């Protein structure tokens, strides 16, 4: 799911990350105090035995070359990036789904990083930050998902402005300083900034281009989980010159197909998921249903064949978002070259 240019850029970044951190002024001074999603977290030393809950947290730490200090990971919607597979093979995988708190604590972590509030938060069924604080385990939640909730069923919160890469860059910077590898963090951020700018320069604004990003559904009869208007999916649509046809502020709204038809997207992006929780996690199954259902198949996007596939992890505000945008950009350019 990567492209030659991205892999080359990533390879250059890895080469930079492999350089020893020698500059004195980049050394983290402990205790390090970080304000994170409304919590003040103090680090007395660099973690040596961390647990990453969520693909984004794990892949950032792997990109920072920290596999030797990563005890275990959990919750992976997609397989790890090819470039990180070897490093990831050295780390224990608890489960691709939600682990238990007991399984996490069995790793005797000295730090827990999480990618989603459902993995670590006040309403998480896995753990609350207080649970870890009482055990003197510092925790960190991705700044991209520190969102206010507008309703009881708004588990992932709502976003009143379009997500950007800046909270992700903040996350990379803070994690690199927590682990005392700030140089590696800055190199990674610089690489992402270059790739983002290059991608935005490739696409002019197109007022007729609108997307729906379909993550998954328990069944065709159920409402679909789609990327909210200001979510990472909305960011990808904007980056490629279009817009998200779904305009709700909720990060992960569930929308009926009547509602999606009414939104009138000119293109549909279906997520490819490797977790295999539901039959519709598979992109091919999604497309087969879209093109065969008597009603949904009559949507303009379906009849015109403007159906794209993207890794589901990219629809969360993560490092995979830019990879997903590059993946979608290539398909969009191929479609336009074919005159569609």
């Amino acid at each position: 799911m990567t492209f030659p240019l991205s892999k080359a850029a990533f390879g250059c970044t890895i080469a930079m990350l492999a350089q020893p951190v020698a500059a004195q002024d980049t050394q983290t001074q402990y205790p390090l105090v970080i304000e994170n999603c409304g919590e003040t977290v103090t680090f007395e030393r660099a973690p040596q035995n961390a647990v990453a809950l969520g693909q984004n947290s794990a892949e950032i730490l792997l990109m920072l070359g920290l596999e030797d200090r990563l005890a275990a990971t959990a919750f992976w919607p997609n397989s790890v990036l090819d470039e990180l597979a070897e490093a990831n093979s050295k780390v224990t995988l608890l489960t691709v789904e939600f682990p238990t708190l007991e399984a996490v604590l069995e790793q005797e972590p000295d730090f827990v990083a999480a990618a989603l509030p459902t993995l670590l938060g006040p309403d998480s069924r896995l753990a609350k930050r207080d649970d870890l604080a009482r055990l003197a385990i510092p925790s960190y939640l991705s700044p991209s998902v520190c969102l206010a909730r507008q309703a009881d069923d708004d588990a992932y919160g709502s976003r009143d402005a379009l997500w950007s890469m800046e909270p992700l860059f903040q996350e990379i910077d803070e994690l690199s300083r927590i682990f005392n590898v700030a140089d590696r963090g800055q190199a990674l951020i610089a690489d992402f900034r270059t790739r983002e700018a290059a991608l935005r320069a490739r696409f002019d604004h197109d007022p007729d281009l609108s997307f729906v990003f379909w993550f998954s559904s328990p069944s065709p009869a159920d409402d679909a989980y789609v990327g909210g208007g200001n979510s990472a999916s909305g960011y990808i649509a904007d980056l490629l010159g279009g817009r998200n046809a779904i305009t709700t502020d909720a990060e992960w709204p569930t929308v009926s197909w009547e509602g999606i038809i009414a939104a009138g997207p000119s293109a549909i992006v279906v997520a490819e998921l490797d977790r295999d929780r539901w039959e519709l996690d598979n992109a091919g199954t999604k497309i087969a249903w879209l093109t065969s259902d008597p009603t949904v198949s009559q949507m303009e996007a379906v009849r015109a064949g403007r159906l794209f596939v993207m890794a589901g992890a990219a629809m969360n505000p993560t490092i995979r978002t830019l990879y997903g945008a590059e993946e979608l950009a290539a398909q969009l350019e191929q479609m336009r070259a074919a005159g569609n």
Side-chain angles (χ1 to χ4, degrees):
M1 299 194 180
T2 55
F3 302 92
L5 177 61
S6 302
K7 294 181 75 170
F10 186 85
C12 292
T13 302
I14 287 295
M16 295 172 69
L17 300 184
Q19 299 300 315
V21 179
Q24 186 63 35
D25 60 359
T26 63
Q27 297 293 305
T28 299
Q29 301 299 311
Y30 298 96
L32 172 68
V33 179
I34 286 182
E35 298 296 327
N36 174 238
C37 296
E39 303 275 346
T40 301
V41 188
T42 301
F43 297 86
E44 300 292 344
R45 61 190 66 81
Q48 300 297 317
N49 202 53
V51 169
L53 303 176
Q55 183 158 2
N56 185 53
S57 303
E59 289 190 324
I60 289 176
L61 296 181
L62 293 171
M63 283 184 166
L64 293 174
L66 295 168
E67 62 271 18
D68 59 333
R69 289 192 262 170
L70 188 53
T73 69
F75 200 81
W76 290 76
N78 285 111
S79 300
V80 69
L81 285 168
D82 290 345
E83 298 90 331
L84 300 173
E86 182 178 351
N88 190 51
S89 68
K90 303 172 183 175
V91 182
T92 297
L93 172 64
L94 297 178
T95 171
V96 298
E97 289 283 0
F98 288 88
T100 64
L101 179 57
E102 290 74 15
V104 173
L105 296 180
E106 284 176 359
Q107 301 300 314
E108 300 183 353
D110 59 0
F111 173 60
V112 174
L116 294 169
T118 49
L119 292 162
L120 185 66
D123 299 313
S124 169
R125 63 186 182 184
L126 196 168
K128 299 172 177 56
R129 299 188 75 166
D130 286 348
D131 295 332
L132 300 176
R134 281 193 289 271
L135 298 170
I137 302 172
S139 64
Y140 184 90
L141 183 60
S142 170
S144 288
V145 300
C146 297
L147 302 173
R149 295 177 57 180
Q150 295 183 348
D152 289 343
D153 60 353
D154 187 14
Y156 296 91
S158 294
R159 198 182 298 276
D160 59 8
L162 187 63
W163 181 76
S164 76
M165 295 282 283
E166 292 307 316
L168 178 66
F169 296 152
Q170 176 188 345
E171 182 174 9
I172 295 170
D173 172 65
E174 290 179 339
L175 287 173
S176 69
R177 287 190 291 121
I178 289 169
F179 282 86
N180 194 19
V181 291
D183 276 9
R184 303 181 193 181
Q186 292 308 307
L188 188 57
I189 291 168
D191 176 59
F192 273 97
R193 286 192 187 281
T194 299
R195 289 167 55 185
E196 180 190 30
L199 195 54
R200 189 173 291 281
R202 282 164 54 186
F203 290 88
D204 295 327
H205 176 63
D206 181 352
D208 297 324
L209 180 62
S210 62
F211 299 92
V212 161
F213 293 81
W214 180 18
F215 187 77
S216 194
S217 307
S219 77
D222 289 293
D223 292 350
Y225 284 92
V226 297
N230 292 318
S231 66
S233 296
Y235 162 81
I236 292 173
D238 179 74
L239 189 61
L240 303 185
R243 61 182 174 83
N244 192 344
I246 302 299
T247 58
T248 177
D249 287 349
E251 184 77 344
W252 280 111
T254 53
V255 182
S256 68
W257 281 98
E258 289 81 3
I260 292 173
I261 292 170
S266 62
I268 298 176
V269 182
V270 301
E272 178 64 60
L273 298 167
D274 300 319
R275 64 182 186 180
D276 202 25
R277 183 185 300 177
W278 299 320
E279 187 176 358
L280 285 169
D281 283 350
N282 179 272
T285 305
K286 288 187 180 79
I287 291 175
W289 180 74
L290 286 170
T291 54
S292 62
D293 180 83
T295 301
V296 175
S297 63
Q298 298 308 303
M299 296 174 66
E300 176 198 347
V302 181
R303 287 190 288 108
R306 291 192 288 270
L307 304 176
F308 304 114
V309 178
M310 188 175 76
M315 296 183 187
N316 273 319
T318 65
I319 58 158
R320 296 297 285 270
T321 299
L322 189 58
Y323 285 84
E326 291 170 336
E327 190 177 10
L328 181 55
Q331 295 173 67
L332 190 58
E333 289 175 330
Q334 185 177 27
M335 180 197 73
R336 286 173 171 171
N340 191 349

